[in-house]
Amino acid sequence: MPTASSGPGGRRGWLLRLVVAFSFAQAAVSMARPAVSYRALSLGADERAIGVIAGVYALLPLFAAVPLGRRTDHGRCAPLLPVGVLIAGGCALSGMADSLAAMAAWSGVMGLGHLCFVIGAQSIVARQSAPAEQDRNFGHFTIGASLGQLVGPLAAGALIGADIDRTSAVALLVSAAVGAVSLTSLWRIEHVRAAGGPARQAPKVPVSRILRTRGVPAGIFISLAVLSATDILTAYLPVVGEHRGIAPATVGLLLSLRAAATIACRLVMTPLIDLLGRTVLTIATCASGGLLCAGVALPVPVWGLGVMLVLLGFCLGVGQPLSMTTVVQAAPADARSTALALRLTGNRLGQVAAPASAGLIAGVAGVAAPFVMLGGLLLVAAGLGARRGPPRRGPGEADSFRSATTRTERSRTGPP
């Protein structure tokens, strides 16, 4: 695999541009998700309906992820990125929708665009990073997501005012424009000599074999749990804010504090891995995140909620990049994009099931109860993290890993 991210700064420009593009794409989604919740509330939605709309966002991607991953394993990754224009289309059409059914449908379109963008982008990072660089590069890649999650809710909170129906529509149209901007930095993002991937005639690795590979199931579930927590925080904190009398701007600030803490975590993740190791770091952050997530259900003051969300954001920052590295290094070499797609399928399954379950729980036990459910999910993820073994390496890869690490440290001039 070419070490496209090491060496002179020009060789690393692809990662910087990918992070920038992902930042805009994620900002659009993170602005749109709470705006969709507020607009649905203005159209008469209750907690159950909010859960259904949030779940439909992930429904189409649930069925599309593996076929798209298969295609990427046997071809180029970059052609999937422009399909991310569906993010902008879904945001714009959600802003113009006048029924809950239409909002759910356009949320599904938004989710499909996001899935295509993420599969293409993650596959590029996996294919163009040396083994020793994967933790770092996936960490930097997910910083793009965190930047978007930082800016998006703040922008939504600033745009949504007392006239929720009109201002939430404006927020969705603005998020559509932000999503369109994400496509402007994707020129020549994929190195041609790395783009071919495995031969097109190579037999497909069965999904069952990938799922039986040690480390893959744990990586998928950890990612599912972390993303479900992030997703329900984004979708349900506005509902909690409405019930507790917290203004939309304050809710946006709280969500952005969570995202800022996630960025901070990913900036220091490499030294944390060196200090604690992947397994201990995964267990500690998932377990702590579970307790903090359950704590959101408590009737704490706004400042206390802010402190909990900062700590929770730091804990949630670990699971996604480490689960990517775990899945990529454990999966067969000619099925890594498919393995990443299975990980995204798990994510989308969580995004369908968790909001739907949250809606049912909220309808019965109150709007804070879903956070207790998420706490339990993260504690299960911590247990699975304790059981998984270290990523499998092929013959001789340990030596190449060490030498690549040495090259990386010598050539590093700062984060891309």
Side-chain angles (χ1 to χ4, degrees):
M1 183 181 296
T3 58
S5 59
S6 61
R11 295 284 303 279
R12 299 171 66 183
W14 66 270
L15 183 57
L16 174 60
R17 288 187 285 116
L18 197 60
V19 169
V20 170
F22 195 34
S23 297
F24 278 97
Q26 193 64 51
V29 171
S30 298
M31 188 189 309
R33 299 303 297 283
V36 164
S37 294
Y38 280 118
R39 182 154 177 79
L41 288 170
S42 74
L43 293 174
D46 58 12
E47 290 86 357
R48 292 182 181 87
I50 296 289
V52 170
I53 292 171
V56 171
Y57 169 84
L59 192 59
L60 285 175
L62 185 62
F63 300 103
V66 172
L68 290 172
R70 291 283 197 202
R71 180 221 165 274
T72 305
D73 270 325
H74 296 275
R76 296 181 61 223
C77 310
L80 277 180
L81 299 178
V83 185
V85 73
L86 293 176
I87 296 173
C91 292
L93 292 166
S94 294
M96 295 184 284
D98 57 3
S99 71
L100 296 179
M103 291 204 67
W106 297 128
S107 289
V109 171
M110 188 196 317
L112 183 60
H114 188 254
L115 174 84
C116 292
F117 192 99
V118 171
I119 287 180
Q122 287 184 6
S123 298
I124 287 174
V125 176
R127 193 171 288 180
Q128 296 186 175
S129 301
E133 298 172 322
Q134 284 175 350
D135 280 330
R136 187 199 67 192
N137 285 359
F138 276 125
H140 288 154
F141 171 71
T142 53
I143 284 174
S146 299
L147 285 170
Q149 291 166 355
L150 171 67
V151 174
L154 275 177
L159 289 170
I160 298 171
D163 184 359
I164 292 179
D165 182 52
R166 182 184 63 83
T167 55
S168 61
V170 170
L172 285 164
L173 293 174
V174 172
S175 68
V178 173
V181 172
S182 68
L183 304 177
T184 61
S185 65
L186 299 177
W187 72 96
R188 300 181 64 184
I189 201 78
E190 185 174 22
H191 293 191
V192 174
R193 63 175 180 163
R200 293 179 184 273
Q201 293 78 19
K204 295 179 180 178
V205 179
V207 169
S208 58
R209 178 186 161 195
I210 300 172
L211 291 175
R212 287 197 304 268
T213 304
R214 185 175 184 181
V216 171
I220 289 173
F221 189 87
I222 290 167
S223 180
L224 180 156
V226 170
L227 187 67
S228 294
T230 303
D231 203 54
I232 290 183
L233 274 174
T234 303
Y236 266 81
L237 203 61
V239 183
V240 172
E242 281 288 295
H243 280 257
R244 296 186 186 176
I246 302 172
T250 304
V251 170
L253 176 61
L254 291 171
L255 289 171
S256 295
L257 285 173
R258 196 277 311 161
T262 297
I263 294 172
C265 170
R266 287 168 180 169
L267 288 173
V268 300
M269 197 170 65
T270 299
L272 286 175
I273 293 171
D274 293 339
L275 178 66
L276 301 174
R278 280 191 199 145
T279 301
V280 172
L281 185 59
T282 301
I283 295 168
T285 53
C286 284
S288 300
L291 296 175
L292 288 163
C293 210
V296 174
L298 300 174
V300 296
V302 172
W303 67 264
L305 191 59
V307 170
M308 284 195 293
L309 287 173
V310 167
L311 295 174
L312 179 58
F314 193 91
C315 292
L316 295 179
V318 170
Q320 293 286 49
L322 288 194
S323 69
M324 291 178 199
T325 304
T326 297
V327 168
V328 165
Q329 295 188 356
D334 54 350
R336 286 173 177 167
S337 291
T338 303
L340 285 170
L342 285 169
R343 174 185 166 277
L344 288 172
T345 301
N347 287 352
R348 295 308 189 254
L349 180 62
Q351 286 181 300
V352 170
S357 302
L360 291 173
I361 293 171
V364 173
V367 295
F371 297 103
V372 178
M373 177 194 76
L374 289 175
L377 197 64
L378 286 167
L379 290 175
V380 173
L384 287 176
R387 293 180 60 187
R388 72 172 176 84
R392 172 179 55 79
R393 300 194 191 282
E397 191 173 324
D399 291 338
S400 67
F401 185 91
R402 285 193 292 271
S403 64
T405 303
T406 302
R407 291 196 306 272
T408 300
E409 293 304 321
R410 288 175 180 171
S411 63
R412 185 177 296 173
T413 58

